[in-house]
mmCIF file of all heavy atoms in Angstrom:
data_model
loop_
_atom_site.group_PDB
_atom_site.id
_atom_site.type_symbol
_atom_site.label_atom_id
_atom_site.label_comp_id
_atom_site.label_asym_id
_atom_site.label_seq_id
_atom_site.Cartn_x
_atom_site.Cartn_y
_atom_site.Cartn_z
ATOM 1 N N GLU A 42 -17.705 19.912 -9.463
ATOM 2 C CA GLU A 42 -16.783 18.943 -10.043
ATOM 3 C C GLU A 42 -17.497 18.151 -11.131
ATOM 4 O O GLU A 42 -18.716 18.226 -11.262
ATOM 5 C CB GLU A 42 -16.242 18.004 -8.967
ATOM 6 C CG GLU A 42 -17.296 17.194 -8.263
ATOM 7 C CD GLU A 42 -16.725 16.357 -7.141
ATOM 8 O OE1 GLU A 42 -15.614 15.837 -7.290
ATOM 9 O OE2 GLU A 42 -17.397 16.218 -6.120
ATOM 10 N N ASN A 43 -16.738 17.434 -11.891
ATOM 11 C CA ASN A 43 -17.304 16.617 -12.957
ATOM 12 C C ASN A 43 -17.586 15.223 -12.422
ATOM 13 O O ASN A 43 -16.738 14.605 -11.791
ATOM 14 C CB ASN A 43 -16.325 16.511 -14.133
ATOM 15 C CG ASN A 43 -16.130 17.842 -14.798
ATOM 16 O OD1 ASN A 43 -17.094 18.544 -15.038
ATOM 17 N ND2 ASN A 43 -14.892 18.190 -15.095
ATOM 18 N N LEU A 44 -18.776 14.741 -12.656
ATOM 19 C CA LEU A 44 -19.150 13.388 -12.278
ATOM 20 C C LEU A 44 -19.676 12.678 -13.504
ATOM 21 O O LEU A 44 -20.365 13.282 -14.331
ATOM 22 C CB LEU A 44 -20.244 13.409 -11.199
ATOM 23 C CG LEU A 44 -19.861 14.061 -9.877
ATOM 24 C CD1 LEU A 44 -21.070 14.145 -8.962
ATOM 25 C CD2 LEU A 44 -18.749 13.270 -9.209
ATOM 26 N N PRO A 45 -19.352 11.393 -13.659
ATOM 27 C CA PRO A 45 -19.866 10.678 -14.830
ATOM 28 C C PRO A 45 -21.375 10.516 -14.732
ATOM 29 O O PRO A 45 -21.938 10.365 -13.646
ATOM 30 C CB PRO A 45 -19.157 9.322 -14.769
ATOM 31 C CG PRO A 45 -18.744 9.164 -13.345
ATOM 32 C CD PRO A 45 -18.535 10.542 -12.802
ATOM 33 N N GLY A 46 -22.026 10.571 -15.873
ATOM 34 C CA GLY A 46 -23.470 10.351 -15.955
ATOM 35 C C GLY A 46 -23.753 9.337 -17.046
ATOM 36 O O GLY A 46 -23.024 9.258 -18.037
ATOM 37 N N TYR A 47 -24.784 8.561 -16.854
ATOM 38 C CA TYR A 47 -25.104 7.510 -17.803
ATOM 39 C C TYR A 47 -26.584 7.557 -18.159
ATOM 40 O O TYR A 47 -27.411 7.989 -17.373
ATOM 41 C CB TYR A 47 -24.769 6.135 -17.213
ATOM 42 C CG TYR A 47 -23.322 6.013 -16.811
ATOM 43 C CD1 TYR A 47 -22.925 6.273 -15.507
ATOM 44 C CD2 TYR A 47 -22.357 5.676 -17.735
ATOM 45 C CE1 TYR A 47 -21.594 6.189 -15.136
ATOM 46 C CE2 TYR A 47 -21.030 5.592 -17.379
ATOM 47 C CZ TYR A 47 -20.648 5.833 -16.074
ATOM 48 O OH TYR A 47 -19.344 5.758 -15.718
ATOM 49 N N SER A 48 -26.884 7.077 -19.330
ATOM 50 C CA SER A 48 -28.265 6.969 -19.783
ATOM 51 C C SER A 48 -28.457 5.572 -20.358
ATOM 52 O O SER A 48 -27.633 5.101 -21.137
ATOM 53 C CB SER A 48 -28.540 8.028 -20.853
ATOM 54 O OG SER A 48 -29.819 7.866 -21.374
ATOM 55 N N VAL A 49 -29.539 4.923 -19.951
ATOM 56 C CA VAL A 49 -29.844 3.584 -20.442
ATOM 57 C C VAL A 49 -31.186 3.641 -21.155
ATOM 58 O O VAL A 49 -32.152 4.167 -20.623
ATOM 59 C CB VAL A 49 -29.911 2.568 -19.282
ATOM 60 C CG1 VAL A 49 -30.310 1.195 -19.773
ATOM 61 C CG2 VAL A 49 -28.583 2.508 -18.546
ATOM 62 N N SER A 50 -31.231 3.119 -22.374
ATOM 63 C CA SER A 50 -32.478 3.042 -23.133
ATOM 64 C C SER A 50 -32.817 1.575 -23.357
ATOM 65 O O SER A 50 -31.956 0.787 -23.748
ATOM 66 C CB SER A 50 -32.338 3.732 -24.487
ATOM 67 O OG SER A 50 -32.063 5.090 -24.311
ATOM 68 N N LEU A 51 -34.056 1.233 -23.094
ATOM 69 C CA LEU A 51 -34.507 -0.144 -23.288
ATOM 70 C C LEU A 51 -35.628 -0.163 -24.318
ATOM 71 O O LEU A 51 -36.530 0.663 -24.268
ATOM 72 C CB LEU A 51 -35.045 -0.722 -21.974
ATOM 73 C CG LEU A 51 -34.086 -0.766 -20.798
ATOM 74 C CD1 LEU A 51 -34.824 -1.183 -19.539
ATOM 75 C CD2 LEU A 51 -32.946 -1.710 -21.084
ATOM 76 N N LEU A 52 -35.570 -1.129 -25.215
ATOM 77 C CA LEU A 52 -36.652 -1.357 -26.162
ATOM 78 C C LEU A 52 -37.229 -2.724 -25.836
ATOM 79 O O LEU A 52 -36.522 -3.728 -25.870
ATOM 80 C CB LEU A 52 -36.146 -1.325 -27.604
ATOM 81 C CG LEU A 52 -35.579 0.000 -28.075
ATOM 82 C CD1 LEU A 52 -35.005 -0.143 -29.477
ATOM 83 C CD2 LEU A 52 -36.639 1.064 -28.046
ATOM 84 N N SER A 53 -38.492 -2.762 -25.517
ATOM 85 C CA SER A 53 -39.114 -4.013 -25.117
ATOM 86 C C SER A 53 -40.445 -4.178 -25.839
ATOM 87 O O SER A 53 -41.225 -3.228 -25.924
ATOM 88 C CB SER A 53 -39.334 -3.995 -23.611
ATOM 89 O OG SER A 53 -39.935 -5.176 -23.195
ATOM 90 N N PRO A 54 -40.744 -5.376 -26.328
ATOM 91 C CA PRO A 54 -42.011 -5.573 -27.035
ATOM 92 C C PRO A 54 -43.215 -5.686 -26.097
ATOM 93 O O PRO A 54 -44.327 -5.396 -26.493
ATOM 94 C CB PRO A 54 -41.800 -6.871 -27.811
ATOM 95 C CG PRO A 54 -40.731 -7.590 -27.062
ATOM 96 C CD PRO A 54 -39.874 -6.535 -26.428
ATOM 97 N N THR A 55 -42.989 -6.101 -24.847
ATOM 98 C CA THR A 55 -44.106 -6.272 -23.914
ATOM 99 C C THR A 55 -43.758 -5.722 -22.536
ATOM 100 O O THR A 55 -42.579 -5.577 -22.195
ATOM 101 C CB THR A 55 -44.470 -7.766 -23.746
ATOM 102 O OG1 THR A 55 -43.380 -8.431 -23.099
ATOM 103 C CG2 THR A 55 -44.786 -8.425 -25.070
ATOM 104 N N ALA A 56 -44.788 -5.457 -21.765
ATOM 105 C CA ALA A 56 -44.587 -4.970 -20.394
ATOM 106 C C ALA A 56 -43.891 -6.033 -19.543
ATOM 107 O O ALA A 56 -43.034 -5.706 -18.713
ATOM 108 C CB ALA A 56 -45.919 -4.567 -19.779
ATOM 109 N N ASP A 57 -44.222 -7.296 -19.753
ATOM 110 C CA ASP A 57 -43.589 -8.371 -18.977
ATOM 111 C C ASP A 57 -42.091 -8.464 -19.240
ATOM 112 O O ASP A 57 -41.298 -8.631 -18.316
ATOM 113 C CB ASP A 57 -44.250 -9.715 -19.282
ATOM 114 C CG ASP A 57 -45.663 -9.813 -18.737
ATOM 115 O OD1 ASP A 57 -45.993 -9.065 -17.787
ATOM 116 O OD2 ASP A 57 -46.439 -10.632 -19.256
ATOM 117 N N SER A 58 -41.701 -8.332 -20.504
ATOM 118 C CA SER A 58 -40.267 -8.418 -20.806
ATOM 119 C C SER A 58 -39.535 -7.192 -20.265
ATOM 120 O O SER A 58 -38.403 -7.298 -19.794
ATOM 121 C CB SER A 58 -40.022 -8.592 -22.303
ATOM 122 O OG SER A 58 -40.471 -7.474 -23.030
ATOM 123 N N LEU A 59 -40.175 -6.028 -20.303
ATOM 124 C CA LEU A 59 -39.555 -4.837 -19.726
ATOM 125 C C LEU A 59 -39.369 -5.014 -18.225
ATOM 126 O O LEU A 59 -38.308 -4.709 -17.680
ATOM 127 C CB LEU A 59 -40.389 -3.588 -20.011
ATOM 128 C CG LEU A 59 -39.862 -2.298 -19.390
ATOM 129 C CD1 LEU A 59 -38.477 -1.959 -19.913
ATOM 130 C CD2 LEU A 59 -40.833 -1.158 -19.653
ATOM 131 N N ARG A 60 -40.383 -5.509 -17.544
ATOM 132 C CA ARG A 60 -40.293 -5.738 -16.093
ATOM 133 C C ARG A 60 -39.160 -6.709 -15.778
ATOM 134 O O ARG A 60 -38.395 -6.511 -14.840
ATOM 135 C CB ARG A 60 -41.628 -6.257 -15.574
ATOM 136 C CG ARG A 60 -41.659 -6.688 -14.136
ATOM 137 C CD ARG A 60 -41.756 -5.599 -13.146
ATOM 138 N NE ARG A 60 -43.016 -4.898 -13.247
ATOM 139 C CZ ARG A 60 -43.313 -3.880 -12.482
ATOM 140 N NH1 ARG A 60 -42.475 -3.475 -11.565
ATOM 141 N NH2 ARG A 60 -44.442 -3.245 -12.625
ATOM 142 N N ALA A 61 -39.014 -7.769 -16.583
ATOM 143 C CA ALA A 61 -37.941 -8.745 -16.362
ATOM 144 C C ALA A 61 -36.564 -8.106 -16.524
ATOM 145 O O ALA A 61 -35.658 -8.360 -15.732
ATOM 146 C CB ALA A 61 -38.104 -9.925 -17.324
ATOM 147 N N VAL A 62 -36.401 -7.268 -17.544
ATOM 148 C CA VAL A 62 -35.121 -6.591 -17.759
ATOM 149 C C VAL A 62 -34.838 -5.625 -16.612
ATOM 150 O O VAL A 62 -33.717 -5.555 -16.105
ATOM 151 C CB VAL A 62 -35.100 -5.859 -19.116
ATOM 152 C CG1 VAL A 62 -33.891 -4.964 -19.239
ATOM 153 C CG2 VAL A 62 -35.132 -6.854 -20.257
ATOM 154 N N LEU A 63 -35.848 -4.884 -16.183
ATOM 155 C CA LEU A 63 -35.652 -3.953 -15.067
ATOM 156 C C LEU A 63 -35.285 -4.700 -13.789
ATOM 157 O O LEU A 63 -34.436 -4.230 -13.014
ATOM 158 C CB LEU A 63 -36.903 -3.110 -14.856
ATOM 159 C CG LEU A 63 -37.200 -2.084 -15.949
ATOM 160 C CD1 LEU A 63 -38.559 -1.437 -15.715
ATOM 161 C CD2 LEU A 63 -36.109 -1.035 -16.035
ATOM 162 N N ASP A 64 -35.865 -5.864 -13.580
ATOM 163 C CA ASP A 64 -35.511 -6.670 -12.411
ATOM 164 C C ASP A 64 -34.055 -7.127 -12.480
ATOM 165 O O ASP A 64 -33.339 -7.093 -11.486
ATOM 166 C CB ASP A 64 -36.437 -7.879 -12.281
ATOM 167 C CG ASP A 64 -37.847 -7.499 -11.859
ATOM 168 O OD1 ASP A 64 -38.039 -6.371 -11.345
ATOM 169 O OD2 ASP A 64 -38.763 -8.325 -12.055
ATOM 170 N N ARG A 65 -33.608 -7.534 -13.682
ATOM 171 C CA ARG A 65 -32.203 -7.944 -13.839
ATOM 172 C C ARG A 65 -31.267 -6.760 -13.666
ATOM 173 O O ARG A 65 -30.195 -6.885 -13.090
ATOM 174 C CB ARG A 65 -31.994 -8.595 -15.202
ATOM 175 C CG ARG A 65 -32.514 -10.013 -15.266
ATOM 176 C CD ARG A 65 -31.972 -10.762 -16.476
ATOM 177 N NE ARG A 65 -32.045 -10.018 -17.713
ATOM 178 C CZ ARG A 65 -32.976 -10.166 -18.648
ATOM 179 N NH1 ARG A 65 -33.945 -11.039 -18.473
ATOM 180 N NH2 ARG A 65 -32.952 -9.471 -19.753
ATOM 181 N N LEU A 66 -31.659 -5.595 -14.184
ATOM 182 C CA LEU A 66 -30.813 -4.407 -14.042
ATOM 183 C C LEU A 66 -30.707 -3.957 -12.589
ATOM 184 O O LEU A 66 -29.732 -3.320 -12.207
ATOM 185 C CB LEU A 66 -31.364 -3.254 -14.873
ATOM 186 C CG LEU A 66 -31.015 -3.237 -16.338
ATOM 187 C CD1 LEU A 66 -31.710 -2.081 -17.030
ATOM 188 C CD2 LEU A 66 -29.527 -3.150 -16.543
ATOM 189 N N GLY A 67 -31.711 -4.279 -11.795
ATOM 190 C CA GLY A 67 -31.700 -3.889 -10.392
ATOM 191 C C GLY A 67 -30.496 -4.416 -9.642
ATOM 192 O O GLY A 67 -30.099 -3.850 -8.624
ATOM 193 N N ALA A 68 -29.876 -5.500 -10.136
ATOM 194 C CA ALA A 68 -28.671 -6.031 -9.515
ATOM 195 C C ALA A 68 -27.457 -5.155 -9.806
ATOM 196 O O ALA A 68 -26.482 -5.169 -9.066
ATOM 197 C CB ALA A 68 -28.421 -7.453 -9.998
ATOM 198 N N THR A 69 -27.517 -4.380 -10.881
ATOM 199 C CA THR A 69 -26.390 -3.538 -11.285
ATOM 200 C C THR A 69 -26.631 -2.064 -10.990
ATOM 201 O O THR A 69 -25.739 -1.360 -10.538
ATOM 202 C CB THR A 69 -26.135 -3.700 -12.805
ATOM 203 O OG1 THR A 69 -25.979 -5.084 -13.081
ATOM 204 C CG2 THR A 69 -24.910 -2.936 -13.235
ATOM 205 N N ILE A 70 -27.841 -1.623 -11.261
ATOM 206 C CA ILE A 70 -28.216 -0.221 -11.085
ATOM 207 C C ILE A 70 -29.200 -0.145 -9.925
ATOM 208 O O ILE A 70 -30.144 -0.914 -9.871
ATOM 209 C CB ILE A 70 -28.898 0.330 -12.359
ATOM 210 C CG1 ILE A 70 -27.982 0.199 -13.564
ATOM 211 C CG2 ILE A 70 -29.320 1.775 -12.156
ATOM 212 C CD1 ILE A 70 -28.662 0.521 -14.871
ATOM 213 N N ALA A 71 -28.988 0.770 -9.014
ATOM 214 C CA ALA A 71 -29.906 0.917 -7.878
ATOM 215 C C ALA A 71 -31.209 1.545 -8.363
ATOM 216 O O ALA A 71 -31.296 2.752 -8.555
ATOM 217 C CB ALA A 71 -29.265 1.771 -6.799
ATOM 218 N N LEU A 72 -32.210 0.714 -8.608
ATOM 219 C CA LEU A 72 -33.519 1.185 -9.055
ATOM 220 C C LEU A 72 -34.498 1.063 -7.901
ATOM 221 O O LEU A 72 -34.651 -0.011 -7.322
ATOM 222 C CB LEU A 72 -34.034 0.358 -10.230
ATOM 223 C CG LEU A 72 -33.292 0.483 -11.545
ATOM 224 C CD1 LEU A 72 -33.831 -0.525 -12.552
ATOM 225 C CD2 LEU A 72 -33.417 1.886 -12.086
ATOM 226 N N THR A 73 -35.185 2.143 -7.596
ATOM 227 C CA THR A 73 -36.208 2.091 -6.562
ATOM 228 C C THR A 73 -37.500 1.549 -7.173
ATOM 229 O O THR A 73 -37.688 1.621 -8.396
ATOM 230 C CB THR A 73 -36.478 3.484 -5.980
ATOM 231 O OG1 THR A 73 -37.050 4.305 -6.999
ATOM 232 C CG2 THR A 73 -35.211 4.122 -5.429
ATOM 233 N N PRO A 74 -38.394 1.027 -6.346
ATOM 234 C CA PRO A 74 -39.686 0.586 -6.881
ATOM 235 C C PRO A 74 -40.440 1.716 -7.582
ATOM 236 O O PRO A 74 -41.127 1.483 -8.581
ATOM 237 C CB PRO A 74 -40.446 0.108 -5.635
ATOM 238 C CG PRO A 74 -39.379 -0.272 -4.669
ATOM 239 C CD PRO A 74 -38.249 0.676 -4.934
ATOM 240 N N GLU A 75 -40.272 2.944 -7.109
ATOM 241 C CA GLU A 75 -40.923 4.093 -7.752
ATOM 242 C C GLU A 75 -40.368 4.314 -9.155
ATOM 243 O O GLU A 75 -41.111 4.650 -10.080
ATOM 244 C CB GLU A 75 -40.744 5.359 -6.906
ATOM 245 C CG GLU A 75 -41.475 5.321 -5.576
ATOM 246 C CD GLU A 75 -40.746 4.520 -4.494
ATOM 247 O OE1 GLU A 75 -39.529 4.239 -4.651
ATOM 248 O OE2 GLU A 75 -41.404 4.152 -3.514
ATOM 249 N N GLN A 76 -39.060 4.147 -9.331
ATOM 250 C CA GLN A 76 -38.457 4.318 -10.656
ATOM 251 C C GLN A 76 -38.931 3.227 -11.619
ATOM 252 O O GLN A 76 -39.187 3.499 -12.791
ATOM 253 C CB GLN A 76 -36.930 4.304 -10.550
ATOM 254 C CG GLN A 76 -36.362 5.528 -9.875
ATOM 255 C CD GLN A 76 -34.880 5.397 -9.600
ATOM 256 O OE1 GLN A 76 -34.417 4.355 -9.149
ATOM 257 N NE2 GLN A 76 -34.136 6.462 -9.868
ATOM 258 N N VAL A 77 -39.052 2.006 -11.118
ATOM 259 C CA VAL A 77 -39.558 0.906 -11.958
ATOM 260 C C VAL A 77 -41.002 1.189 -12.360
ATOM 261 O O VAL A 77 -41.372 1.035 -13.527
ATOM 262 C CB VAL A 77 -39.427 -0.447 -11.231
ATOM 263 C CG1 VAL A 77 -40.125 -1.553 -12.004
ATOM 264 C CG2 VAL A 77 -37.963 -0.790 -11.002
ATOM 265 N N ASP A 78 -41.828 1.620 -11.402
ATOM 266 C CA ASP A 78 -43.223 1.946 -11.710
ATOM 267 C C ASP A 78 -43.316 3.079 -12.727
ATOM 268 O O ASP A 78 -44.145 3.029 -13.643
ATOM 269 C CB ASP A 78 -43.983 2.323 -10.436
ATOM 270 C CG ASP A 78 -44.201 1.133 -9.510
ATOM 271 O OD1 ASP A 78 -44.091 -0.017 -9.987
ATOM 272 O OD2 ASP A 78 -44.473 1.367 -8.319
#
Protein backbone atom coordinates (compact mmCIF):
# COMPACT_ATOMS: atom_id res chain seq x y z
CA GLU A 1 0.00 0.00 0.00
CA ASN A 2 1.00 3.62 -0.26
CA LEU A 3 2.18 5.31 2.91
CA PRO A 4 3.22 8.95 3.22
CA GLY A 5 6.92 9.59 3.69
CA TYR A 6 8.63 12.74 4.83
CA SER A 7 12.12 14.16 4.74
CA VAL A 8 13.39 16.91 7.03
CA SER A 9 16.57 18.87 6.32
CA LEU A 10 18.15 21.08 8.95
CA LEU A 11 20.83 23.71 8.42
CA SER A 12 22.56 24.67 11.63
CA PRO A 13 25.65 26.82 12.20
CA THR A 14 26.71 24.99 15.39
CA ALA A 15 26.37 21.60 17.03
CA ASP A 16 24.60 23.21 20.02
CA SER A 17 21.93 24.82 17.86
CA LEU A 18 21.40 21.56 15.97
CA ARG A 19 21.00 19.66 19.26
CA ALA A 20 18.45 22.26 20.44
CA VAL A 21 16.42 21.94 17.24
CA LEU A 22 16.51 18.14 17.43
CA ASP A 23 15.31 18.31 21.04
CA ARG A 24 12.39 20.54 19.99
CA LEU A 25 11.56 18.25 17.06
CA GLY A 26 11.47 15.30 19.45
CA ALA A 27 8.08 16.57 20.63
CA THR A 28 6.70 16.19 17.10
CA ILE A 29 8.80 13.46 15.50
CA ALA A 30 9.67 10.29 17.39
CA LEU A 31 13.47 10.53 17.43
CA THR A 32 15.47 7.90 19.28
CA PRO A 33 18.69 8.86 21.07
CA GLU A 34 20.54 6.79 18.45
CA GLN A 35 19.01 8.85 15.63
CA VAL A 36 19.99 12.10 17.36
CA ASP A 37 23.55 10.81 17.87
